[in-house]
Amino acid sequence: QVQLVESGGGWVQAGGSLRLSCAASGSVFSISAMGWYRQAPGKQRELVARIISGGSINYADSVKGRFTISRDSAKNTVYLQMNSLKPEDTAVYYCNADLRFAHDYWGQGTQVTVSL
């Protein structure tokens, strides 16, 4: 199994930046992709960004050009650099790990609040 520990959430004014981190441990060789999802109040959880083991990256249209996902393979850590934050980005952000032969694993979530 895989354990995911998130950090970096907080409060920021519109236009500001935050950097989220997600450290994976356990059966890390079983991970085929990692990503960030978010869930705003009253809304469904949605994909923000995802990076697969081969390096391919996908972003939600709403964050393209503002957010950057990256990884440090040596530390089994994925990051989400969030720039030019908007109030619409306010949500709980969850780290996700896709496993080749098992269900996904999720972090505990970290709150991001963007004020006007």
Side-chain angles (χ1 to χ4, degrees):
Q1 62 176 349
V2 171
Q3 297 80 45
L4 304 173
V5 179
E6 301 153 331
S7 62
W11 180 94
V12 67
Q13 286 188 273
S17 298
L18 287 172
R19 189 192 192 203
L20 306 183
S21 299
C22 175
S25 61
S27 301
V28 295
F29 275 89
S30 296
I31 298 174
S32 60
M34 294 185 69
W36 291 94
Y37 291 70
R38 68 187 181 187
Q39 187 165 20
K43 301 219 173 186
Q44 297 295 312
R45 189 173 299 183
E46 64 176 352
L47 173 69
V48 177
R50 182 179 62 183
I51 183 167
I52 66 173
S53 59
S56 180
I57 295 172
N58 297 106
Y59 293 101
D61 288 341
S62 59
V63 307
K64 286 180 180 176
R66 300 188 298 120
F67 291 11
T68 303
I69 189 170
S70 61
R71 65 185 176 188
D72 183 336
S73 296
K75 296 181 178 180
N76 296 312
T77 300
V78 65
Y79 305 94
L80 186 68
Q81 179 66 46
M82 305 185 294
N83 298 327
S84 302
L85 282 161
K86 305 175 180 179
E88 306 93 274
D89 297 318
T90 295
V92 178
Y93 284 69
Y94 297 91
C95 183
N96 168 264
D98 291 332
L99 272 64
R100 293 182 177 89
F101 307 109
H103 290 102
D104 291 3
Y105 284 82
W106 295 88
Q108 79 282 1
T110 184
Q111 177 70 45
V112 171
T113 302
V114 184
S115 65
L116 293 170

